[in-house]
Amino acid sequence: MGVTFANKTISTDQIDCTGTLQVALALTAEPDILTSPTDIVLVLDRSSSMTGQPLQSMKSGAKKFIEVISQSTGGATDGTIGSGSRIGIVSFAASATANTQLITSVAALDAAVNSLSAGGSTNHADAFTKAVQLFDAASPNRKVIVLFTDGNTTAGPNPTPIALAAKDDGITIYCIGLDGSGGLDVTALETWASAPPASYVLITPDDSELEQFFADLAADISKPGATDIVIDEVIHPDFTISSLLPPDQGSAHMIDAHTIQWTIPELGVRASEGAVLQFFIQHTVGTSGTKAVNQSIHYQDAQQNVVQFPNPVVTVTCDTTFAPEPCPTPIDFTISSCSDAVVIDAGALSLSSQGSIVQLSVTLRDVCPGKRVALAVVLSETVCGKQEPRGLKTFVVPAHQNPDCQDITVQCIKFILPDALNDHTCGLCCPRNIQVQCFAHYIDTDFVCCDSTSLRIACPCSKENTL
């Protein structure tokens, strides 16, 4: 028994620092072609957009498909498709042609593929119709259509009802799409193909990949299903799992905030089956970068199949933080739940002056990439109704290199308010009315970004803070 297809996709390739994205795991399994003979119709696009190298790559892929099926069914030594399976060829442009019936001769199939030439519009409806007509409704063989196309429908009626009717009759449909000069309606391919689309649709912009795509599908179709499937998914530690949806096959549960286990008793043992598990993850650390979603993903089943899931990546954009002065280093300690008291040595601290300490942070809004910012922070105090200066600090905030404008947080701006400057009669216990004013300007002025040449700043500007 064996699994035919495994995929992992994400809903977006870019999020902000606390963003959420949807993750989907897809798995497909098929019965063994040796014990479940299969009739396969290769439906090949020969419209004018296939002229040149795309047509040659498609031919190589189709012949590779035939070769793999021949080997899988035990007929490779005498040039046939063995074990009761058969292959037919349908090609299409403005109309479709049955280039062969369902036959077992590898030479005849290869000759039919080699005879194809490109020209004309694209009639998917006639292609599906001719393919369905090749099948014998009375045959017990599994029925599979493999459609290859590089363009949208430009001739004939809507092909969707024909494809849906074929699936209702038990025909499995795979779609290979070449995103080429003719354009490609990926949504249409996903509608025509068997469900889930992630397991039955392959898309590439590169015709050099077609031979491998056809070979992979042939290997998938010739493999059997699987039993006792266990998938352990561990996401990257920068993310946490926020929710888990019930899979359409088997069951899944969260082991912890980073780990999911998905189990499926059997898949594709009697017919082609797909399974999908979806869950949501959230970015939970304050660092930007391009990050893999997986930390690890492990597959196992009773048949010891080797299954590899892709590892998609997402670009995370966080606000930039700049600390012009060192922030105090926090000291971590633990209090036991059974302790009534705890003694902690926080180390030695040298006093630099007398007075109150003010530490504040400022957020610069929509700072353009590659631009330095001059920042001034002015501290004053109201004493007996009069505004008295208490300090001025200026900084050059380094330029960030993210592609878009973003917020920059300037942290740990510290001021000392000496008590000797205050005309208070109640000592250290007197309230003090402090005002902060912030000024920010670009140093590098040759820019246009953010739909504005202004720089916005979020800070407690002109705001009284009571100490």
Side-chain angles (χ1 to χ4, degrees):
M1 310 298 282
V3 172
T4 67
F5 182 80
N7 198 16
K8 180 173 184 178
T9 58
I10 56 178
S11 58
T12 180
D13 60 3
Q14 187 164 1
I15 58 174
D16 60 27
C17 204
T18 59
T20 298
L21 66 155
Q22 184 176 11
V23 183
L25 298 179
L27 202 63
T28 303
E30 302 273 1
D32 190 344
I33 199 170
L34 291 173
T35 57
S36 300
T38 304
D39 289 337
I40 307 166
V41 180
L42 286 176
V43 184
L44 306 176
D45 188 341
R46 52 174 169 79
S47 58
S48 58
S49 57
M50 288 293 295
T51 301
Q53 188 57 48
L55 182 68
Q56 297 307 313
S57 297
M58 181 195 70
K59 289 181 178 181
S60 298
K63 289 188 289 185
K64 187 66 175 180
F65 182 98
I66 296 164
E67 176 189 341
V68 172
I69 295 297
S70 176
Q71 293 172 344
S72 301
T73 57
T77 56
D78 58 1
T80 63
I81 309 298
S83 303
S85 294
R86 298 175 294 179
I87 294 179
I89 306 294
V90 168
S91 64
F92 67 97
S95 61
T97 300
N99 300 90
T100 74
Q101 298 298 306
L102 288 168
I103 59 177
T104 60
S105 170
V106 171
L109 292 167
D110 285 349
V113 172
N114 285 330
S115 69
L116 301 181
S117 58
S121 52
T122 306
N123 189 336
H124 292 110
D126 200 26
F128 278 121
T129 299
K130 291 293 196 303
V132 171
Q133 290 173 351
L134 288 191
F135 294 115
D136 179 1
S139 172
N141 283 12
R142 286 193 300 142
K143 299 172 178 62
V144 175
I145 290 175
V146 177
L147 171 75
F148 166 80
T149 186
D150 78 329
N152 299 321
T153 299
T154 57
N158 182 2
T160 298
I162 304 171
L164 296 180
K167 291 189 289 185
D168 288 342
D169 288 339
I171 298 173
T172 300
I173 299 179
Y174 291 87
C175 292
I176 300 175
L178 176 63
D179 194 1
S181 60
L184 191 67
D185 188 345
V186 176
T187 301
L189 266 61
E190 292 177 342
T191 302
W192 302 339
S194 296
S199 299
Y200 292 88
V201 178
L202 297 176
I203 305 294
T204 179
D206 186 355
D207 63 79
S208 67
E209 293 186 335
L210 291 181
E211 182 171 340
Q212 188 61 51
F213 274 21
F214 276 100
D216 289 344
L217 274 189
D220 290 345
I221 292 170
S222 62
K223 288 179 181 178
T227 60
D228 299 330
I229 299 170
V230 179
I231 300 172
D232 292 305
E233 160 82 9
V234 182
I235 65 169
H236 191 282
D238 286 1
F239 300 88
T240 57
I241 301 166
S242 55
S243 64
L244 173 65
L245 303 182
D248 59 359
Q249 298 280 355
S251 61
H253 68 280
M254 289 175 54
I255 295 176
D256 54 40
H258 297 87
T259 307
I260 292 172
Q261 186 172 84
W262 183 18
T263 59
I264 307 173
E266 65 177 39
L267 189 70
V269 174
R270 286 166 292 278
S272 174
E273 283 186 296
V276 174
L277 170 66
Q278 299 180 77
F279 56 96
F280 292 84
I281 63 174
Q282 182 177 22
H283 189 254
T284 53
V285 301
T287 57
S288 302
T290 300
K291 303 184 181 185
V293 173
N294 293 4
Q295 177 168 300
S296 65
I297 183 166
H298 176 69
Y299 173 94
Q300 65 179 29
D301 63 26
Q303 291 70 37
Q304 299 183 343
N305 288 288
V306 177
V307 175
Q308 296 292 329
F309 287 88
N311 188 10
V313 298
V314 60
T315 299
V316 181
T317 303
C318 297
D319 292 345
T320 300
T321 300
F322 170 60
E325 299 178 319
C327 294
T329 302
I331 298 173
D332 297 325
F333 60 90
T334 302
I335 300 177
S336 170
S337 59
C338 297
S339 298
D340 294 326
V342 63
V343 177
I344 300 297
D345 182 0
L349 178 66
S350 299
L351 296 178
S352 56
S353 65
Q354 294 182 339
S356 301
I357 299 174
V358 174
Q359 178 174 300
L360 55 87
S361 298
V362 173
T363 299
L364 306 176
R365 300 294 192 193
D366 297 328
V367 178
C368 297
K371 306 300 176 185
R372 296 174 298 162
V373 175
L375 171 66
V377 181
V378 180
L379 214 64
S380 60
E381 181 177 7
T382 302
V383 180
C384 299
K386 183 180 179 182
Q387 200 83 357
E388 299 286 351
R390 289 295 182 257
L392 165 66
K393 289 198 174 183
T394 60
F395 309 99
V396 174
V397 180
H400 71 84
Q401 301 303 321
N402 287 312
D404 300 316
C405 300
Q406 68 171 59
D407 296 349
I408 296 180
T409 300
V410 182
Q411 295 184 332
C412 300
I413 304 174
K414 294 187 289 290
F415 291 86
I416 302 295
L417 301 180
D419 292 323
L421 297 178
N422 298 308
D423 186 16
H424 297 306
T425 59
C426 53
L428 295 176
C429 297
C430 287
R432 303 179 66 174
N433 297 318
I434 309 300
Q435 293 80 42
V436 179
Q437 291 179 299
C438 307
F439 305 91
H441 298 279
Y442 285 112
I443 296 175
D444 309 295
T445 57
D446 55 337
F447 66 91
V448 176
C449 76
C450 303
D451 300 321
S452 172
T453 57
S454 64
L455 179 67
R456 297 183 292 128
I457 185 168
C459 73
C461 299
S462 302
K463 178 181 177 182
E464 291 192 356
N465 293 278
T466 301
L467 295 177

